[in-house]
Amino acid sequence: MLVHVPNVLTADEVARVRGILEASEWVDGRETAGEQAAMAKFNLQIPEGSQAGMEAGDIILRALGRNATFNSAALPLRVLPPLFNRYDAGMTFHAHVDGAIRAMPHNGQRIRADVSTTLFLTAPDEYDGGELIVEDTYGNHSVKLPVGDMIVYPSTSLHHVTPITRGSRWSSFFWTQSMIKDDGKRTLMYDLDQAIIDIRSKLDDREHSVVALTSHYHNLLRRWAEL
């Protein structure tokens, strides 16, 4: 399931994040990649655990907390602190699957990467190339979103970033351990939640159909959630 989440960051929040990143140092992205990914990864990255990364990441984490679409799609249990990358002309990231287990930077707690997210910090007209290509059973999906928007997709997906031919592409990326690790079940829950939102816009919340659907949603979540 790929979900486009628009307007995650306000224009002011984008400016604040960009300002932090513009004043920060960038390192070779391969320094934070595993052995296999390092052979496919050609970009720059804000060092993990840096003060700048944590400051910019906190802005994003607060925005995620208020975003109903992200919470509906990911059903987050834990979110790894956001990281930041940059692709300049000629840079790319070849096809790969994200690692299954990540570690929190400060306490070393391991989390399972169920959901991957890319938040775009540069507008599409600022660069050529740089599309995120996500592969699933329905084919290849090319993603290049407005600044402040993000894409949410299963971490099991094979994906890559096409080479930059002009400009620079900046983004934040992070992983979520979901309360429901199975993507098929998460998709059912997301679709059901969207249906409930739609029917609530047309009927009174006390209507039997609204109450019944909401009850089914929570009982399925109770049955499938792992805390």
Side-chain angles (χ1 to χ4, degrees):
M1 175 179 65
L2 279 78
V3 178
H4 172 196
V5 187
N7 302 315
V8 176
L9 297 182
T10 65
D12 178 65
E13 288 170 330
V14 170
R16 288 163 57 199
V17 170
R18 283 293 303 255
I20 293 168
L21 301 184
E22 287 166 1
S24 303
E25 68 164 328
W26 295 84
V27 299
D28 191 324
R30 288 173 290 185
E31 292 186 9
T32 58
E35 181 179 354
Q36 186 179 37
M39 296 186 290
K41 185 178 186 181
F42 301 94
N43 65 7
L44 299 173
Q45 192 166 308
I46 296 294
E48 288 192 53
S50 67
Q51 183 62 38
M54 289 187 292
E55 184 179 348
D58 284 344
I59 295 171
I60 293 171
L61 289 174
R62 286 194 294 271
L64 295 179
R66 66 174 186 254
N67 192 282
T69 304
F70 170 75
N71 285 282
S72 177
L75 291 171
L77 177 62
R78 299 181 183 91
V79 178
L80 200 74
L83 301 174
F84 300 88
N85 60 22
R86 169 180 163 184
Y87 293 81
D88 294 336
M91 294 184 178
T92 187
F93 199 160
H94 299 304
H96 64 286
V97 170
D98 293 334
I101 305 298
R102 316 292 301 191
M104 289 290 190
H106 302 301
N107 59 15
Q109 180 186 18
R110 294 183 177 183
I111 76 166
R112 186 184 62 241
D114 297 319
V115 179
S116 298
T117 301
T118 296
L119 171 63
F120 288 76
L121 297 172
T122 40
D125 61 1
E126 294 184 67
Y127 60 96
D128 293 329
E131 290 85 359
L132 171 65
I133 309 296
V134 181
E135 301 180 26
D136 63 16
T137 54
Y138 300 101
N140 293 354
H141 306 272
S142 179
V143 182
K144 189 173 185 179
L145 300 180
V147 62
D149 286 18
M150 70 185 189
I151 191 75
V152 176
Y153 59 98
S155 297
T156 53
S157 304
L158 190 67
H159 59 284
H160 67 277
V161 177
T162 64
I164 293 287
T165 59
R166 177 190 65 87
S168 184
R169 172 196 189 269
W170 296 23
S171 65
S172 175
F173 63 101
F174 55 91
W175 295 274
T176 300
Q177 179 172 332
S178 176
M179 291 184 286
I180 298 179
K181 67 180 179 181
D182 181 83
D183 179 58
K185 292 178 179 177
R186 279 199 313 275
T187 300
L188 288 173
M189 295 298 290
Y190 177 73
D191 289 344
L192 179 56
D193 190 35
Q194 297 308 297
I196 292 170
I197 292 171
D198 180 63
I199 198 171
R200 288 183 65 195
S201 71
K202 300 171 182 175
L203 298 176
D204 189 282
D205 277 355
R206 293 169 294 182
E207 289 282 347
H208 174 74
S209 55
V210 177
V211 175
L213 282 175
T214 304
S215 297
H216 287 316
Y217 178 90
H218 286 285
N219 287 332
L220 285 173
L221 184 59
R222 202 182 330 271
R223 175 171 296 220
W224 289 341
E226 300 177 8
L227 305 179

